[in-house]
Amino acid sequence: MDLLSLSSGLLYTAFVIYLIAFVFFAATIKDKQQEKQFTLMNKIAISTTILGFIAQVGYFITRWMASGHAPVSNMFEFVTFFGMMLVLAFTILYFIYRIELLGLFALPVALLIIGYASMYPKEVSPLVPSLKSHWLYIHVTTVALGEAILAVSFVAGIIYLIHQINQSKTTVKTTWLEIIMYAICATLGFVIITTIFSSMDYNATFSYAVDEEEMTLEYQLPAWFGPENGELVTDDKMDAVFTTPGWMHGAEAPRKLNTLVWSLTAGLLLYLILRISLRKRIAAAIQPLLKKANPELLDEACYRAVAIGFPVFTLGGLIFAAIWAQEAWNRYWGWDPKEVWALITFFFYAIFLHLRLSRGWHGEKSAWLAAIGFAIIMFNLIVVNLVLAGLHSYA
Amino acid sequence: MSIIKCSTCGHQNKEGTTICEKCGKPLDYDQQGTLLNMRYDGSAIRSKTKNRSIVDKIWNFFSSIKVGVSLIAIALIASALGTIYPQKMYIPQNIDPALHYRDQYGLSGQIFYQLGFHNLYNSWWYMVLIALIGISIFIVSIDRGVPLYKALKNQAIKRHPNFLKRQKLFGEYKDYNEEDKTDFINKLKKHRYKITENDGHFLAEKGRFSRWGPYVNHLGLIIFLLGTLFRFIPFMYVDDFVWVREGETAVIPSTNQQYYIKNEEFIFETYGNDDEDAIFEAALQNTSGPVPKHFETSAIIYEDVSKDVIGSEPELKEINSGEIIVNEALKINDLALYQDSYQLNEFQTMSFKLHEADDEEEAAIAEFTVDLTDPESEYEFDNGYRVELNRFYPEYELDNGQPRSISNYPRNPGFVFFVHGPDIEEREASFLAIGQNIPSGDNQYKLSLTDFGVRDVSGLTVRKDLTLPIIGLGAFIFMIGVIQGMYWQHRRVWIHQGEDRIYIACHTNKNWYGLTKELEKVIDGTSFTMVQDQEKNNDT
Ligand code: HEM
């Protein structure tokens, strides 16, 4: 068996083991409400998690050996690595605070992230000259670790919020919680829909003209939104229902919009199914499961994750990034969207820390901030790469 | 300034002090019954006490956390706005930005441009914003750092019982013996607490240095920001660019004609030509063009040693040579040359022949070669013919039917030739470019392209940045400061010997969980019970 298939086998194994670990963590909910007690089930759950992590490290090393460069150079590789760092960050925080509930939420988030990553092309991609630097590995791995530790603060924060927010009536807060739940559903929806259609090898090609030049665009999902003046050239496939609005730019905009609408719709469907079968808000349905949560401890873990993650992120996302940019592009800072969003992340967590330290933003306020911080990180990871950065990549 | 006199020990405290500097008695009488506010150890903060003169008002403005956080929040939002569309430096440079934003992004693009967001990060107001944050960091650090330093340096070991009673972690013990006390203190020692004693009262302390973390990191930020300002001092910063053709020696700009660079060879490789690239095959199939794998300029650097003789020919002495590769610059003193861009196969020469227009064989009457970097205006031949180069367009383009050149680089040369000869009455004009040969009217003679020579052009950035050490230092200090402040905590345990009991109180500036864990270990095995978390007791 060649290295590359061994590598993807290991990743798949890691995914399955994480799934199993999640089930074990779910089983700890039933444990008697004894704080600080380390039950057998806890040990099994965390050991399984570590086993999964080792498998994923195996994926990482074998892929590195196969490709000759650290596998952090395209969307699939980077997002997968981010998922792996999230498991690592969770494990660290778990050993500090021994909060099993963290596993109950961190693992699904990691699973979703790895699932999301695997929707991108998985081929080993060649490095363009500017990426050929040790600083690439150093920079990207530290950023991913820093962001992952910060993401654990979101995990702690969301448990805190679900536990603390009064679910007896609809309020702005319960609505925002449901929006977060829906965002998770939409990500899951994206993974499910993409998997279904790619297993069917769905492909519909549209041709359209730009400045009298013939262009084609391939869809892997049935097209609701086609390119302007596009014509379906594949037989027996669904023709586009709508035309992509003209203000959306970029050759791939119609396909991206189509994927987005599919994900949001699938997410909505998932959300509604859950909501109707549960007969209450999703967060309200989860709340009783969190009986043994200790809000003060969660609040502290949420803050601690930021305290640990902020220096790591700054080092990787700003300082190492600047050193590398100086070497590769002779400017340590260039106001590229990716850089700006790293700065925004930095500003945001600086605000988080100052508000907490000086204005007493503890507990719920702090937890909401952690959720916003995670949204910013995800924005930088996904939207900036796919939308903003795409605008000035002249390719 | 008014003075607050401590009712217990009589010490005269500065206005604004909430905990007596000498005996530690809480002076915030209105707050009794609540936990003590331990920020800055209750010392007087300038911005909280003085508010009379205009200086005070400015000082207070900048040392307000509310203001500081708001400034950062505004910078955050502004930064985000600038990423909606590409910045000016990322759009094609040969188009008017006003048109570009309008044509590419419509109305919203126009608004983006009109508001100046296309050059947001270099705008005066963005810089002012960052400068205000810098000022705020500077002032706040003095405002709080100095009193905090003094308070911790002079802190009393013996604190008033009320001080201990109003700490979050507190215990009061009546039945104990001296041994337990020594035991407890020894165990604290084992946990690397520094113990000081005064009259049977103890203070155990560790990690005080972490309290300076914020001030160290703020100092780093200030150095960093100052470093970026130094860029505006001319000799500190050079940013230039030079195109050098293969075989050509060019003066390096911004060096006062002192240094020259010769491009010996430009090497360009793409993926897919090597066995080891097989692994990338699948990925390469999905890309539209060839993917660059490696490019470098093999260069020689010369110094002009013809000292100060004005107008003399430069006398070049080789001082350095090597490859300029993307992640590896070539350095001359402070100056670094970076591989930036390239232009492959630029035309260097073009050869033509003159023949009779109706000659099927196209037998040459005359032949000549135009050096595109330095074209001659006339080419004369022994047989009496003469070709005049009337117009030369290095990169030609038709603009409303009129030829013009869009750059000075011979990427798509176009020529207007006049042919003169013994049997030509006046002259015959023709226009030539790649794939084009347009005579003006009925020409008897015709010019044809026979050959051309190409070479690569390497684009090098010339950069000097003496601000880098300052900026690097700032970043380094910043990192030390955040790590110092975030990964360590300042923990203190006070043991107050009362008349018939002892009081134990504990404080940490963060990570209470860690402190509680540690105290559990310390207290375990002594006869003391665990200190109580008074915040929790209040809740329930
Ligand atoms: C982007 C800029 C800034 C960064 C990265 C930054 C960073 C930090 C960090 C990491 C801490 C320690 C927080 C903790 O221990 O939880 C801190 C503390 C602090 N910062 Fe900043 N800061 C910035 C700007 C400001 C500004 C503008 C102000 C002014 C109003 C300010 C005032 C303070 C204060 C008062 C403290 C607490 C000091 C103490 O309690 O001893 N900071 N800062």
Side-chain angles (χ1 to χ4, degrees):
Chain A
M1 189 159 66
D2 69 313
L3 270 178
L4 212 53
S5 27
L6 172 66
S7 173
S8 37
L10 280 170
L11 181 60
Y12 190 71
T13 312
F15 188 87
V16 175
I17 298 179
Y18 290 152
L19 205 61
I20 298 170
F22 164 64
V23 175
F24 286 142
F25 272 114
T28 66
I29 293 184
K30 294 219 183 70
D31 282 356
K32 282 276 163 285
Q33 290 196 35
Q34 273 168 331
E35 266 181 52
K36 294 168 198 162
Q37 276 274 344
F38 216 23
T39 64
L40 179 65
M41 192 48 99
N42 280 333
K43 284 185 191 150
I44 295 175
I46 190 70
S47 313
T48 316
T49 309
I50 293 171
L51 196 70
F53 179 74
I54 293 170
Q56 202 178 353
V57 172
Y59 141 81
F60 188 77
I61 295 173
T62 43
R63 192 169 167 103
W64 189 330
M65 286 158 66
S67 68
H69 59 80
V72 285
S73 64
N74 60 27
M75 267 309 252
F76 162 70
E77 292 175 344
F78 180 72
V79 178
T80 306
F81 185 75
F82 178 64
M84 176 164 125
M85 288 297 105
L86 185 58
V87 175
L88 176 66
F90 151 69
T91 312
I92 295 172
L93 267 291
Y94 178 81
F95 279 109
I96 299 179
Y97 290 106
R98 300 278 152 97
I99 309 174
E100 308 85 57
L101 284 176
L102 278 185
L104 198 61
F105 284 77
L107 284 176
V109 174
L111 282 166
L112 254 186
I113 286 174
I114 297 171
Y116 175 79
S118 62
M119 300 301 119
Y120 286 94
K122 293 199 245 331
E123 294 99 22
V124 176
S125 43
L127 291 186
V128 296
S130 62
L131 295 183
K132 286 183 181 164
S133 161
H134 289 302
W135 287 106
L136 166 70
Y137 317 152
I138 300 170
H139 155 67
V140 178
T141 49
T142 357
V143 177
L145 179 63
E147 291 187 336
I149 301 173
L150 293 171
V152 175
S153 84
F154 159 73
V155 171
I158 195 85
I159 303 174
Y160 183 96
L161 291 174
I162 296 177
H163 182 262
Q164 293 294 92
I165 283 176
N166 182 356
Q167 290 285 0
S168 61
K169 60 177 189 295
T170 308
T171 58
V172 180
K173 289 176 188 172
T174 58
T175 310
W176 274 108
L177 261 187
E178 288 315 284
I179 291 175
I180 296 176
M181 297 299 133
Y182 167 66
I184 294 172
C185 288
T187 317
L188 186 61
F190 168 76
V191 174
I192 293 174
I193 289 292
T194 315
T195 311
I196 292 175
F197 282 100
S198 75
S199 68
M200 288 162 43
D201 273 331
Y202 188 91
N203 188 317
T205 306
F206 282 79
S207 77
Y208 62 104
V210 176
D211 296 338
E212 294 172 25
E213 211 181 318
E214 187 83 358
M215 309 275 264
T216 60
L217 191 62
E218 285 185 22
Y219 283 69
Q220 277 76 40
L221 294 175
W224 288 338
F225 287 86
E228 217 170 347
N229 303 322
E231 198 180 321
L232 182 67
V233 289
T234 326
D235 295 334
D236 299 335
K237 292 280 150 65
M238 188 182 105
D239 199 355
V241 187
F242 308 102
T243 307
T244 306
W247 51 265
M248 291 195 161
H249 287 273
E252 300 191 339
R255 189 175 60 207
K256 285 175 185 166
L257 175 69
N258 192 55
T259 308
L260 181 71
V261 173
W262 262 106
S263 312
L264 294 181
T265 315
L268 190 64
L269 216 63
L270 267 176
Y271 179 83
L272 288 179
I273 292 172
L274 279 172
R275 181 87 190 242
I276 291 166
S277 52
L278 293 167
R279 286 167 209 281
K280 53 175 108 156
R281 279 180 231 108
I282 299 193
I286 301 176
Q287 197 175 42
L289 303 176
L290 306 181
K291 260 191 228 115
K292 69 173 177 175
N294 173 352
E296 275 147 63
L297 199 58
L298 281 168
D299 177 49
E300 187 158 324
C302 169
Y303 169 51
R304 199 74 195 288
V306 176
I308 299 174
F310 181 70
V312 178
F313 174 78
T314 311
L315 188 67
L318 298 176
I319 297 181
F320 289 162
I323 296 176
W324 178 32
Q326 181 69 31
E327 296 222 334
W329 299 299
N330 61 64
R331 86 273 185 304
Y332 56 86
W333 193 258
W335 299 110
D336 168 80
K338 198 84 198 167
E339 292 172 336
V340 175
W341 277 90
L343 181 69
I344 289 172
T345 313
F346 172 77
F347 279 158
F348 182 81
Y349 283 100
I351 293 175
F352 177 107
L353 289 171
H354 287 94
L355 286 177
R356 179 155 186 128
L357 193 71
S358 320
R359 306 199 59 82
W361 280 41
H362 290 249
E364 205 182 300
K365 282 179 178 166
S366 191
W368 283 116
L369 285 181
I372 299 173
F374 183 68
I376 293 178
I377 290 175
M378 285 297 128
F379 187 87
N380 197 3
L381 192 66
I382 297 163
V383 183
V384 174
N385 271 343
L386 298 185
V387 185
L388 299 184
L391 286 173
H392 75 256
S393 61
Y394 305 117
Chain B
M1 193 202 303
S2 68
I3 296 286
I4 310 173
K5 194 169 158 189
C6 176
S7 59
T8 305
C9 69
H11 181 75
Q12 307 214 323
N13 292 290
K14 265 196 221 163
E15 177 189 357
T17 311
T18 54
I19 298 170
C20 174
E21 286 172 328
K22 184 132 181 279
C23 70
K25 182 179 179 183
L27 303 173
D28 55 341
Y29 301 107
D30 49 336
Q31 301 281 319
Q32 267 169 26
T34 62
L35 290 182
L36 203 53
N37 181 352
M38 286 292 287
R39 298 199 56 217
Y40 315 109
D41 263 36
S43 59
I45 303 295
R46 188 188 196 279
S47 61
K48 296 265 159 69
T49 48
K50 292 194 186 169
N51 194 11
R52 282 162 215 135
S53 68
I54 179 94
V55 177
D56 292 340
K57 294 222 157 74
I58 294 173
W59 181 276
N60 294 355
F61 177 78
F62 283 113
S63 47
S64 149
I65 309 277
K66 218 192 245 169
V67 170
V69 165
S70 312
L71 286 172
I72 303 176
I74 295 170
L76 186 157
I77 293 165
S79 306
L81 287 176
T83 62
I84 295 177
Y85 295 127
Q87 288 289 297
K88 196 176 101 196
M89 58 259 196
Y90 291 114
I91 65 169
Q93 297 300 311
N94 51 3
I95 305 175
D96 180 7
L99 300 180
H100 176 84
Y101 287 100
R102 191 198 62 199
D103 296 347
Q104 287 287 312
Y105 310 108
L107 182 63
S108 58
Q110 241 170 323
I111 296 171
F112 188 80
Y113 174 78
Q114 287 297 331
L115 292 174
F117 286 2
H118 67 300
N119 196 15
L120 189 143
Y121 308 108
N122 297 317
S123 65
W124 63 268
W125 61 269
Y126 190 80
M127 292 196 209
V128 166
L129 196 56
I130 301 296
L132 287 178
I133 293 176
I135 295 169
S136 179
I137 294 174
F138 181 72
I139 292 183
V140 84
S141 300
I142 295 175
D143 188 58
R144 327 253 160 157
V146 175
L148 178 67
Y149 178 78
K150 282 190 187 154
L152 288 182
K153 189 159 174 252
N154 303 326
Q155 65 181 314
I157 294 164
K158 177 187 172 189
R159 297 279 175 126
H160 196 277
N162 284 354
F163 172 91
L164 276 79
K165 281 181 193 158
R166 286 179 58 197
Q167 295 298 326
K168 179 173 150 84
L169 292 183
F170 175 71
E172 192 172 345
Y173 306 93
K174 266 190 182 159
D175 304 315
Y176 73 97
N177 51 42
E178 276 305 314
E179 247 168 67
D180 293 328
K181 197 172 145 190
T182 345
D183 238 23
F184 180 61
I185 288 163
N186 282 337
K187 282 191 89 179
L188 281 170
K189 255 187 214 157
K190 270 204 195 107
H191 282 261
R192 278 178 278 133
Y193 279 84
K194 235 181 85 195
I195 316 280
T196 42
E197 197 223 334
N198 176 8
D199 253 354
H201 308 283
F202 290 86
L203 165 64
E205 185 180 17
K206 76 173 178 189
R208 194 201 288 179
F209 78 100
S210 73
R211 292 296 283 271
W212 319 132
Y215 305 97
V216 174
N217 89 47
H218 286 171
L219 176 74
L221 286 172
I222 293 166
I223 295 177
F224 180 92
L225 290 177
L226 286 179
T228 60
L229 287 182
F230 283 125
R231 171 174 293 198
F232 298 107
I233 303 172
F235 74 89
M236 298 285 270
Y237 186 77
V238 165
D239 178 18
D240 226 317
F241 188 86
V242 60
W243 286 108
V244 208
R245 299 177 165 70
E246 275 178 318
E248 195 182 73
T249 304
V251 62
I252 302 177
S254 302
T255 63
N256 288 324
Q257 320 273 320
Q258 196 188 354
Y259 295 106
Y260 288 73
I261 177 168
K262 179 169 186 203
N263 178 350
E264 292 258 284
E265 191 187 4
F266 182 77
I267 298 167
F268 181 79
E269 289 164 21
T270 54
Y271 278 101
N273 306 320
D274 231 325
D275 285 347
E276 59 180 25
D277 297 346
I279 183 103
F280 303 127
E281 209 179 290
L284 288 172
Q285 271 170 3
N286 291 334
T287 59
S288 47
V291 179
K293 179 178 181 180
H294 177 86
F295 49 93
E296 67 173 55
T297 308
S298 163
I300 302 178
I301 311 286
Y302 298 102
E303 186 174 0
D304 180 4
V305 289
S306 66
K307 287 229 167 38
D308 304 330
V309 189
I310 293 170
S312 69
E313 278 289 298
E315 193 184 328
L316 299 184
K317 192 178 129 232
E318 180 175 334
I319 53 164
N320 197 359
S321 68
E323 283 77 48
I324 308 178
I325 310 173
V326 175
N327 276 296
E328 294 165 41
L330 190 66
K331 300 214 163 87
I332 336 163
N333 306 330
D334 299 330
L335 212 64
L337 294 170
Y338 290 89
Q339 183 67 59
D340 184 282
S341 19
Y342 52 83
Q343 177 79 46
L344 297 179
N345 302 329
E346 186 183 278
F347 292 104
Q348 180 179 13
T349 57
M350 285 197 159
S351 305
F352 302 91
K353 69 178 176 188
L354 183 68
H355 58 88
E356 287 187 31
D358 50 11
D359 179 5
E360 296 266 311
E361 303 280 295
E362 301 194 350
I365 300 168
E367 281 181 297
F368 64 100
T369 297
V370 180
D371 179 353
L372 299 177
T373 38
D374 186 18
E376 287 170 41
S377 55
E378 257 187 14
Y379 299 85
E380 284 209 47
F381 309 104
D382 295 344
N383 54 8
Y385 289 91
R386 183 162 63 91
V387 175
E388 182 190 341
L389 177 54
N390 171 263
R391 285 268 159 73
F392 171 48
Y393 307 97
E395 189 171 3
Y396 129 90
E397 191 189 71
L398 270 188
D399 184 21
N400 287 329
Q402 290 299 316
R404 63 171 189 139
S405 189
I406 52 175
S407 84
N408 290 325
Y409 305 114
R411 290 172 188 150
N412 182 24
F415 307 86
V416 175
F417 288 116
F418 291 160
V419 181
H420 304 266
D423 52 348
I424 300 172
E425 239 171 64
E426 206 173 330
R427 61 182 192 203
E428 288 183 355
S430 46
F431 177 81
L432 273 89
I434 304 286
Q436 295 197 37
N437 196 340
I438 309 163
S440 67
D442 286 335
N443 281 358
Q444 189 185 343
Y445 292 97
K446 188 176 172 190
L447 282 165
S448 304
L449 182 66
T450 53
D451 201 5
F452 57 83
V454 292
R455 58 182 170 179
D456 299 335
V457 191
S458 173
L460 303 171
T461 301
V462 181
R463 175 62 55 87
K464 169 163 109 173
D465 195 346
L466 296 182
T467 68
L468 286 179
I470 306 170
I471 285 174
L473 180 73
F476 184 74
I477 295 178
F478 174 79
M479 276 319 296
I480 302 272
V482 260
I483 289 174
Q484 179 182 348
M486 295 302 195
Y487 293 177
W488 277 271
Q489 297 91 35
H490 181 212
R491 294 176 178 175
R492 281 178 289 177
V493 180
W494 292 275
I495 302 154
H496 183 97
Q497 183 71 56
E499 267 169 29
D500 59 340
R501 63 190 77 185
I502 65 170
Y503 305 98
I504 297 178
C506 318
H507 181 260
T508 180
N509 63 332
K510 55 180 56 152
N511 189 8
W512 287 92
Y513 176 76
L515 176 65
T516 314
K517 287 294 240 194
E518 188 171 64
L519 285 170
E520 274 167 8
K521 281 192 205 139
V522 170
I523 289 177
D524 190 37
T526 67
S527 67
F528 297 118
T529 51
M530 181 60 188
V531 285
Q532 294 296 308
D533 184 341
Q534 307 205 69
E535 209 161 42
K536 238 183 216 160
N537 294 352
N538 288 349
D539 286 352
T540 47

